[in-house]
């Protein structure tokens, strides 16, 4: 679903109808909840379709929960890895640093379930 461009005054200010404002609020809230633009297009289509079924909306929301769960798992793995690296960095006057070694892709020993170098 494409959103038409807002009208403009002679001075170049955008003119929005109440419908436009409601649509923008809808999109903003969907973005706050982390929906992709493709999902927002689908949700807008469902929102504007009086013959929609809530079953379709619920299925889309459930699928988004799965995406969020995957992202959360990845964030937790990154946090564990970074914490491990921080715990093993002496933070002293020496130049040796496992954080920089990991970022450079050098071998660092990480416990299972933690995110290692990307190019192994």
């Amino acid at each position: 679903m494409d959103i038409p461009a807002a009208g403009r005054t002679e001075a170049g200010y955008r003119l929005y109808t109440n419908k436009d404002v409601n649509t923008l609020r809808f999109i903003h809230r969907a973005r706050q909840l982390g929906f992709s633009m493709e999902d927002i297009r689908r949700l807008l289509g469902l929102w504007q379709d009086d013959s929609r079924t809530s079953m379709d909306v619920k299925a889309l929301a459930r699928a988004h929960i799965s995406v969020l769960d995957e992202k959360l798992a990845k964030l937790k793995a990154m946090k564990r890895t970074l914490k491990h690296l921080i715990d093993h960095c002496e933070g002293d006057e020496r130049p040796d640093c496992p954080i920089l070694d990991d970022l450079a892709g050098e071998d660092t020993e990480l416990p299972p379930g933690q995110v290692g170098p990307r190019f192994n």
Side-chain angles (χ1 to χ4, degrees), residues 26-91:
F26 184 98
I27 293 168
H28 183 259
R29 180 62 180 144
R31 291 297 298 151
Q32 286 179 323
L33 292 173
F35 283 99
S36 68
M37 290 308 296
E38 181 59 35
D39 285 345
I40 292 172
R41 278 187 197 90
R42 290 184 196 135
L43 288 166
L44 273 172
L46 290 166
W47 182 49
Q48 295 169 346
D49 180 2
D50 292 335
S51 65
R52 70 178 173 267
T53 66
S54 63
M55 174 177 38
D56 293 334
V57 179
K58 187 173 184 175
L60 208 155
R62 276 202 172 135
H64 183 58
I65 289 287
S66 294
V67 170
L68 292 177
D69 285 340
E70 288 175 25
K71 287 181 181 181
L72 186 57
K74 288 177 183 177
L75 286 171
K76 285 180 178 180
M78 288 188 286
K79 182 180 177 182
R80 280 191 307 272
T81 299
L82 191 52
K83 182 166 179 4
H84 174 82
L85 293 170
I86 289 168
D87 290 345
H88 288 84
C89 179
E90 296 297 327

Side-chain angles (χ1 to χ4, degrees), residues 99-118:
I99 300 168
L100 294 176
D101 292 346
D102 182 80
L103 292 173
E106 296 176 19
D107 287 332
T108 54
E109 292 187 31
L110 297 174
Q114 293 191 4
V115 179
R118 287 182 267 176

